[in-house]
Amino acid sequence: MTQPPQPVRRGRGRRPAEQVRSEVLRAAGELLLEEGMGGFTVEKVAALAGASRVTLHKWWPSKGALALDGYFSVVGHTLAFPDTGDIASDLTAQIQAFVHLMRDTRAGRVVPELIGQAQTDPELAAAYRERYSAPRRALAVEALERAKQRGQLRADVDSEVIIDQLWGACYHRLLIPDLPLTDEFAQAIVANLMTGIRDA
């Protein structure tokens, strides 16, 4: 059974701002994964991190923005995009890793809540684009452009559209679960797309 987040034990003396920020992000990430957006509050994060609500409100304009930064602090390592020199293999590996994150981890189960909250929280929507989706997109664009330079993809294909076709398909199954997110699905969408974009 998962243990609930524990408050940070403070020693004597004033903590440096960077340490406080790091502890707040850790507390926010742990609370979000443990309780989801339904149980996530600025007050709980402040108590867990041993920080004041005033400090948190100064650094984050909304509860959603704080939740997203906490989320990013625990899943940021998944942004790595493999570069083996084979774009089909790299895309398949990245999509499968994304599917695994969304399907099999607490972090993945929180994403629909963050997306839903972003519809009415402009600060969260902006933070989601700037800190999460935009960096992921940039890494994928770079990988696709390198593949074009290697002659693996047609030069005229739009990298941004490819990204929407691949990750958009995954988000569709995540948010509208008529069909499951599976490894086979991840392999199939890459294989189908490569048929049309591979440089002959």
Side-chain angles (χ1 to χ4, degrees):
M1 183 175 178
T2 304
Q3 295 297 317
Q6 298 298 311
V8 173
R9 293 186 177 182
R10 291 178 289 178
R12 294 182 179 179
R14 186 182 182 88
R15 293 172 294 169
E18 282 306 308
Q19 180 184 343
V20 174
R21 186 179 181 87
S22 176
E23 291 173 354
V24 167
L25 289 174
R26 185 184 68 197
E30 290 176 355
L31 180 64
L32 182 65
L33 296 189
E34 181 66 29
E35 299 191 17
M37 284 299 290
F40 186 94
T41 67
V42 173
E43 290 76 14
K44 286 182 181 179
V45 174
L48 288 169
S52 72
R53 287 179 294 175
V54 172
T55 296
L56 271 62
H57 284 299
K58 180 176 68 175
W59 286 340
W60 289 278
S62 71
K63 179 183 81 168
L66 172 58
L68 181 69
D69 273 2
Y71 176 82
F72 185 78
S73 74
V74 297
V75 303
H77 63 282
T78 65
L79 286 176
F81 202 110
D83 184 10
T84 66
D86 181 344
I87 190 59
S89 295
D90 292 345
L91 285 172
T92 300
Q94 180 69 357
I95 292 294
Q96 285 183 317
F98 180 70
V99 165
H100 171 72
L101 176 71
M102 295 297 106
R103 183 191 64 201
D104 302 331
T105 71
R106 290 183 299 163
R109 290 190 286 274
V110 167
V111 168
E113 297 182 45
L114 289 170
I115 293 174
Q117 180 82 19
Q119 308 313 300
T120 56
D121 183 339
E123 288 85 6
L124 171 56
Y128 191 91
R129 289 191 300 271
E130 293 167 7
R131 297 183 177 94
Y132 186 70
S133 62
R136 290 190 72 93
R137 179 178 286 269
L139 289 172
V141 167
E142 291 170 6
L144 291 166
E145 292 301 316
R146 286 195 300 268
K148 289 182 188 180
Q149 294 169 8
R150 292 194 295 258
Q152 295 178 336
L153 301 178
R154 295 199 333 255
D156 64 334
V157 299
D158 188 325
S159 295
E160 299 283 359
V161 172
I162 293 172
I163 291 165
D164 289 334
Q165 288 176 291
L166 292 174
W167 277 267
C170 294
Y171 276 113
H172 184 272
R173 287 205 176 188
L174 175 69
L175 298 173
I176 307 174
D178 294 332
L179 293 171
L181 273 173
T182 64
D183 290 343
E184 292 76 17
F185 171 69
Q187 294 165 5
I189 58 175
V190 175
N192 289 349
L193 187 63
M194 287 300 298
T195 299
I197 66 176
R198 194 187 298 275
D199 194 18

